[in-house]
Amino acid sequence: MTAPTHITFAEFIYLLILTTLGVSLNLVNAVVIAVSSLLPDIDTQSSIIGRTFPFISVRLERRFGHRTLTHSIPFILGIAVLTLPLLLCSSSLYACFISGYASHPFLDTMTVNGVRLFYPFSGAKCVFPFEVNNPHKYRIQTGSKGEKMLAALFFVGCIPTSMIAYEGYERFVRTAQQNIEAAVRDYNEFSKDHLVVARVVAHNAITKQPLSETVEIIGAVNPHTLIFKGSDSRLHTMGKEFQADFVVENILCSRGSAALSTLRNIDLRDQLLSQVFTYLDSSGENYLFGDLSTSEKISLPENIRMFTPITGEGRIIKLNYATYNDIRAFDIGHVFITKGILTIKSIFTSAAGKEGRAAVNAFPLPATIARIFFTLEAGESIEFLKQRGDSIRQDEVLARKGVERSYEGQIRLNRDRIEALLSQSRADLSALDLKIENTRLSAGIDSAEYAHNVELSKSHFASEEILESSRLKWEKELLVYKSLIASRVAIQRKSAIEVRKLELQNAQLNAKARSAAIKSEIRSSAEGLIIDIREVPHNEKTEITIIINVLPLPKLPTHPSGISSRLP
């Protein structure tokens, strides 16, 4: 066999067998197996390797002849042992060298003259295939048209085997199939570290308009549906009929530019949907996924015949390969999210980085949002001092809880008790004063009567018994009078003490009310504009969120040197 035949056969073996067994596919291995496949012909001057090293080929040909020693199995085993140090360096190079060398004598067994494979132990010529009745049947004459056809056959065989070696057998089958299932498998494999593009022939499922172009694949919905970016910059699905926007006739995926994909999970609880922007990485493409609960009912239009990245009904928003532009297009950035985990898939490439920065400049940044969150217990009330649309200053009182009203009721009740006590005291004192006055008058009369009886007694006109009786009556009235005076003083003291107690209670209640009023004040944490006030009942409580559009801080003036100066 000639050199081209040996080289193409060795390369065919390398691509078909060695790469399948784990030998790496590279140019060095291909060169090594090609060169080693020519080495056995160093025993003849007519070969390329023999003409390259004539001082060796002349001596070998004269001493042993062609297709003897260098083509024998014992010599191949000796070469394998001598080149073992190459195995320590690279097992792939060792396998290519030995396989390339061994392929030469095997291919030469197909020639008319055959090969002495067991030389020097046996001079028998080995041929393949062997026909007893006609030994030259199926043999190939060196340099004949048959050999050239065989070399061409090996060369042609290297084309699909090189594809199999490079892409793998599965990829070779997918390339032959060019159907949607094969494309989905290709996407799942390629998208790990590359963008994925596809050459597709399809038609619109509704209008039947043909689609024949190369598109960028964004994701896979299921084993027979892909999502791609159309010429209108919107996302569409393609797959089987009645299951996608476009029905695929044939499709072939391939790797695009190198890319890195990352996934992040963000808790959007108690945030506006527009705040998603603050979590996006502008250096890449960002796609959003997740089911988010909202504080209010929403209803988004949905086209069941076309892929829709954002859907929603009731208090749930569903994102599936959505972008921030989709949120703006659906005008749902103001929606308040009460619960939900958002998954962000970011794809980074150098080109995507430029497009991402351009996209940031294409639409305005959302304003910074501040949130003030608090809870009303059952029975508590709230008084809002500011409403939606009002501008506010930092630390300004926005609302007050109604907890101090209970203190006000107790204070009013104590005041009423004081008034009642004073009224009762005045009534009791008034009645008592009347008794005191009557007793005083009666005591005066009794005193005058006693004095008269004393004078009569001196003239012996009144007995001692009458005198003593009048004296006792006067003293009794006097004791009653003093007792009534003491009772009046006691009533005044008791009333004063009870009023003082109630006044002290009111003083304490006023202090508690002032403290509660301070604690119940809801103050602003930032300066800006109130854009929404949300009240959400939850477990017999009311969760209130005040959302503030924060005004940007003024820039500090700078000196000509560039150093910032402090504001006065």
Side-chain angles (χ1 to χ4, degrees), residues 140-159:
I140 298 175
Q141 184 68 40
T142 302
S144 63
K145 292 182 179 181
E147 184 193 349
K148 294 178 181 179
M149 291 179 62
L150 185 62
L153 181 63
F154 289 143
F155 179 77
V156 172
C158 286
I159 296 175

Side-chain angles (χ1 to χ4, degrees), residues 342-549:
L342 178 74
T343 300
I344 303 177
K345 178 181 180 181
S346 300
I347 304 175
F348 300 96
T349 63
S350 57
K354 296 178 181 178
E355 293 175 1
R357 287 187 287 273
V360 171
N361 297 327
F363 50 83
L365 291 172
T368 303
I369 301 297
R371 293 175 293 110
I372 301 173
F373 178 81
F374 58 95
T375 302
L376 291 181
E377 301 293 337
E380 287 185 339
S381 60
I382 185 75
E383 177 186 4
F384 290 102
L385 305 180
K386 295 290 183 178
Q387 300 298 327
R388 183 184 303 179
D390 290 346
S391 58
I392 56 173
R393 298 185 303 274
Q394 187 169 0
D395 206 36
E396 185 175 1
V397 179
L398 305 180
R400 287 192 181 96
K401 293 183 180 179
V403 293
E404 76 280 2
R405 293 181 180 177
S406 59
Y407 296 109
E408 292 179 358
Q410 294 180 36
I411 291 172
R412 286 195 299 269
L413 179 60
N414 284 345
R415 287 174 181 170
D416 292 341
R417 287 176 178 175
I418 291 174
E419 290 295 330
L421 282 172
L422 293 175
S423 297
Q424 183 66 39
S425 177
R426 286 193 293 268
D428 292 343
L429 289 176
S430 179
L432 192 59
D433 286 342
L434 181 61
K435 289 181 179 181
I436 290 173
E437 182 62 23
N438 292 333
T439 304
R440 185 184 67 80
L441 293 175
S442 179
I445 294 172
D446 290 340
S447 175
E449 183 179 354
Y450 174 68
H452 178 68
N453 288 331
V454 169
E455 291 296 328
L456 291 176
S457 176
K458 289 179 180 181
S459 300
H460 302 283
F461 289 107
S463 64
E464 289 295 329
E465 289 82 3
I466 295 173
L467 180 64
E468 183 66 18
S469 176
S470 63
R471 184 183 64 81
L472 292 174
K473 183 180 179 182
W474 170 60
E475 288 179 352
K476 181 179 179 182
E477 288 294 332
L478 188 61
L479 288 174
V480 172
Y481 175 76
K482 291 180 179 179
S483 176
L484 291 175
I485 294 295
S487 297
R488 190 180 193 282
V489 172
I491 290 173
Q492 287 179 326
R493 288 180 178 178
K494 181 179 179 182
S495 177
I497 291 172
E498 291 181 355
V499 168
R500 183 57 180 164
K501 286 182 179 179
L502 292 174
E503 287 177 345
L504 288 175
Q505 288 182 9
N506 276 357
Q508 294 175 351
L509 290 172
N510 280 322
K512 291 181 179 180
R514 287 192 297 271
S515 176
I518 294 173
K519 291 181 180 179
S520 69
E521 290 178 349
I522 309 300
R523 295 181 176 270
S524 173
S525 58
E527 181 177 359
L529 185 72
I530 297 179
I531 59 176
D532 204 359
I533 298 176
R534 312 276 178 145
E535 299 185 40
V536 180
H538 181 69
N539 292 338
E540 297 183 356
K541 300 180 181 180
T542 302
E543 297 177 348
I544 298 179
T545 304
I546 301 176
I547 305 172
I548 303 171
N549 186 351

Side-chain angles (χ1 to χ4, degrees), residues 24-237:
S24 56
L25 178 65
N26 55 55
L27 182 61
V28 175
N29 288 343
V31 171
V32 168
I33 198 169
V35 172
S36 64
S37 68
L38 301 178
L39 288 179
D41 273 349
I42 199 170
D43 62 356
T44 176
Q45 301 179 61
S46 60
S47 65
I48 294 177
I49 193 71
R51 290 193 296 271
T52 305
F53 303 98
F55 56 92
I56 299 178
S57 60
V58 170
R59 295 179 181 180
L60 288 176
E61 188 172 18
R62 289 177 180 176
R63 176 70 179 82
F64 301 104
H66 185 41
R67 295 180 181 170
T68 54
L69 179 65
T70 58
H71 288 64
S72 66
I73 293 178
F75 189 85
I76 295 174
L77 295 177
I79 290 291
V81 173
L82 291 176
T83 55
L84 278 176
L86 183 62
L87 179 62
L88 300 177
C89 177
S90 173
S91 59
S92 294
L93 287 178
Y94 180 79
C96 290
F97 181 82
I98 299 301
S99 298
Y101 194 99
S103 69
H104 184 108
F106 173 76
L107 193 61
D108 279 348
T109 59
M110 298 181 184
T111 60
V112 174
N113 294 325
V115 178
R116 294 182 175 89
L117 290 179
F118 300 100
Y119 187 89
F121 303 105
S122 173
K125 294 182 179 181
C126 299
V127 293
F128 176 81
F130 180 73
E131 173 64 43
V132 177
N133 297 325
N134 188 358
H136 294 285
K137 191 176 182 180
Y138 307 120
R139 305 287 186 274
I140 298 175
Q141 184 68 40
T142 302
S144 63
K145 292 182 179 181
E147 184 193 349
K148 294 178 181 179
M149 291 179 62
L150 185 62
L153 181 63
F154 289 143
F155 179 77
V156 172
C158 286
I159 296 175
T161 54
S162 64
M163 182 180 295
I164 294 174
Y166 180 73
E167 297 284 357
Y169 178 75
E170 291 185 2
R171 170 63 178 166
F172 177 75
V173 173
R174 295 174 199 163
T175 303
Q177 290 176 332
Q178 294 194 15
N179 58 24
I180 187 64
E181 288 82 3
V184 172
R185 291 193 292 271
D186 278 342
Y187 170 78
N188 292 333
E189 179 180 340
F190 298 161
S191 61
K192 296 175 182 177
D193 49 13
H194 286 80
L195 296 180
V196 181
V197 295
R199 188 176 69 253
V200 59
V201 176
H203 64 268
N204 190 292
I206 300 176
T207 64
K208 306 303 179 182
Q209 290 184 347
L211 172 69
S212 180
E213 58 185 58
T214 299
V215 298
E216 180 183 351
I217 305 299
I218 301 301
V221 178
N222 51 51
H224 43 263
T225 307
L226 289 172
I227 300 176
F228 72 97
K229 186 183 297 183
S231 56
D232 56 358
S233 298
R234 296 182 58 187
L235 299 184
H236 304 275
T237 57

